[in-house]
Amino acid sequence: MVKNKWWYFPKAISEEDCKKIISLAGEYRQAELSDGKVYRDVRKCLVDGRQEQWLYDLFWPYMLGANEQAGWKYDIESAEDFQILKYNKGDFYVTHEDGSGDHLSVYDMPNSKFLNNKVRKLSMVAFLSDDYEGGELEISGETPMTREVGNLIFFPSFISHQVKPVTSGERFSLSNWFLGPPFK
């Protein structure tokens, strides 16, 4: 049992940076699951992947702070590509886990020093907009924070969470996963 299911930083990211992140998105595509397939009854939203170094520089210190302050103290070595997510009216993501952190979940990608032999340990969501209704992030059945622009939340990747359906407007967020060796 994890005592701290999440750790968040209210209004950590400036509105200017949030707008800049939204503007990075080039061509959105329908979000896929880990098997590379689209399942619109499981996850319905648009995604654009990014590897901007300034994003890693901006979010890495927050990840380190959350990891320490929450008491997780996970061995984190790298991060995946960022995902800029756009949820339109009716879009959602059902209850799921981002990874289990075990040896069966290890990335087998010998051409990627950042992913190979690592697992997802911490998940991150940055709220980039707030002019929408619905679309609440629930973690273990709880809504841990309000959805103000610039809010940032981290949680262990093995904890179940969901994005409830957006009922109006457009919800923009940024997600990432921080990786390390499998739990022992």
Side-chain angles (χ1 to χ4, degrees):
M1 176 77 179
V2 175
K3 181 179 179 185
N4 290 316
K5 295 179 186 175
W6 60 77
W7 196 265
Y8 77 95
F9 300 94
K11 295 192 172 192
I13 309 306
S14 71
E15 285 190 40
E16 180 181 309
D17 280 340
C18 290
K19 288 177 183 176
K20 184 177 176 182
I21 293 167
I22 292 170
S23 73
L24 287 175
E27 192 170 313
Y28 285 105
R29 66 183 191 289
Q30 183 61 45
E32 303 167 344
L33 296 184
S34 60
D35 64 1
K37 295 181 182 174
V38 173
Y39 299 91
R40 290 181 186 258
D41 58 334
V42 175
R43 183 181 190 195
K44 186 175 181 239
C45 67
L46 301 172
V47 63
D48 184 41
R50 292 286 141 189
Q51 295 179 327
E52 308 281 332
Q53 185 59 49
W54 73 272
L55 292 175
Y56 294 101
D57 295 342
L58 178 63
F59 291 101
W60 191 266
Y62 286 107
M63 179 278 299
L64 292 174
N67 194 26
E68 182 67 27
Q69 293 170 44
W72 301 316
K73 300 182 186 236
Y74 296 155
D75 183 6
I76 303 292
E77 299 175 349
S78 61
E80 292 187 32
D81 293 355
F82 286 89
Q83 288 188 358
I84 302 169
L85 300 164
K86 180 180 179 185
Y87 289 80
N88 294 306
K89 182 178 178 182
D91 289 357
F92 62 92
Y93 196 171
V94 300
T95 302
H96 65 283
E97 296 83 33
D98 292 333
S100 60
D102 62 19
H103 288 269
L104 299 174
S105 304
V106 172
Y107 280 117
D108 181 18
M109 302 177 82
N111 294 331
S112 174
K113 68 178 181 178
F114 298 111
L115 300 177
N116 194 44
N117 293 322
K118 294 178 180 65
V119 296
R120 289 180 171 179
K121 290 190 167 181
L122 287 178
S123 298
M124 178 202 89
V125 176
F127 292 83
L128 305 177
S129 67
D130 62 3
D131 54 345
Y132 60 92
E133 297 297 323
E136 297 88 353
L137 172 66
E138 283 189 357
I139 301 174
S140 287
E142 301 175 53
T143 304
M145 58 194 261
T146 59
R147 61 170 185 248
E148 295 176 73
V149 172
N151 283 358
L152 184 58
I153 190 162
F154 293 87
F155 51 94
S157 297
F158 56 80
I159 291 186
S160 63
H161 57 286
Q162 70 172 325
V163 175
K164 298 191 80 168
V166 171
T167 56
S168 69
E170 295 175 326
R171 176 191 191 270
F172 289 92
S173 60
L174 182 75
S175 293
N176 202 341
W177 302 271
F178 296 88
L179 312 171
F183 292 118
K184 296 186 183 224

